[in-house]
Amino acid sequence: MSEVTSKEVLAQLSKVKGPDLKSDIVSLKMVENVLVKKGKVIFSINVPADRAEELEPLREAAEKAVEMLDGVEKVTAVLTAERKPGSTPVRPAPTSAQAGNVPPPMQAQAAAGNQKAGVPGIKNIIAVASGKGGVGKSTTSVNLALALASKGLKVGLLDADIYGPSMPRMLGITDKPTAQGKILSPLEGYGLKVMSMGFLVEEETPMIWRGPMVISALTQMLREVAWGELDLLIVDMPPGTGDAQLTMSQQVPLAGAVIVSTPQDIALIDARKGLNMFRKVEVPILGLIENMSTFICPKCGEQSDIFGHGGARSEADRLGVPFLGEIPLHMNIRTNSDGGTPVTVSNPDGPHAKIYKEIAGEVIARLDAESADRPQIVFE
Ligand code: ADP
């Protein structure tokens, strides 16, 4: 079966009537970002933000129309809020003069040939991902971000895990962000600039953000936030490898991705899926982290490998991606993260903070390797 083209998709969409029931959605210039890959079609329909709910049937009609084309396996249409063309400024060229004592870090985004519109002021965006939930992706994200900040870098943390935003809890932040026009100010936690859907909606009402608005919500959290100058933005991705993750990896100018997995085989299968997703969209894999790697009994000191041990390291070797380190299963990691005082700041000289800092060092080394011809990060 021949591969469907975006031209055919547009031709089909021009049969779908717009909200005025006269012109079609293509003539009305509502259709944007048509992506076709191996029978999967993704596109967005630009609608006024206040009519998104009401126009859900339009989105469904557009999906159905495209589904009827030969060679189409899956269609995802997302509603995006109206935005004036060109309102997202393209990332400026790197400058050599930088505030603070951190010389210009490498521009892995540019080195990776990443042509997606960048976010002004943010030098590198790194995704922390996992093939499935519950492996400790958010715990790793927050501690990794804090460990990177402890090295003198300006770091932001975007909690893109909108299905279960955990950064307000993990960083003990209860304030709400303020807005200047449509730009939100990020909140601060232990020196990190943080944005999370958890700041914007009550825990009981995340439903309104599910489905078609997911991508536009994530895009807004990335692009309509006053991040300021950042060396690194860590994105705690939604778990899994579905359409939201794929679209996000395609639309965000990622310098690289870090995959978190537990050691057991089943989690590694999921990790492999995550890895393949980033490979498909040509985002460099910075490496694999094994979380809940081993358990040292606090009473007797005996080591127990509850979820096995070393699986991620051997898998990384097999797949030819860097192995970034092992984080043990430890009560302190859980109680501190869940209690709003991540171990990297509550016990900065302790054994667990040391592990996160070592992993942070590895991440920087991998970013450097991805942009070998660029200036390196140098610490004080
Ligand atoms: P995910 O983001 O993958 O869903 P979380 O980071 O929310 O996972 O972690 C799930 C639970 O496991 C949390 O209660 C967290 O505190 C705990 N946890 C994560 N990593 C560790 C670890 N290395 N040791 C002990 N508990 C951990």
Side-chain angles (χ1 to χ4, degrees), residues 134-139 170 291-292 327-330 333-334 338:
V135 300
K137 172 182 53 58
S138 299
T139 308
M170 287 193 171
N291 189 36
M292 309 191 186
I327 303 156
L329 178 68
H330 198 283
I333 297 182
R334 192 194 68 71
D338 294 352

Side-chain angles (χ1 to χ4, degrees), residues 60-80:
E60 285 171 16
E63 272 190 357
K64 287 223 171 68
V66 177
E67 269 163 17
M68 285 163 70
L69 285 173
D70 271 352
V72 169
E73 273 173 36
K74 188 153 197 264
V75 185
T76 308
V78 294
L79 294 184
T80 51

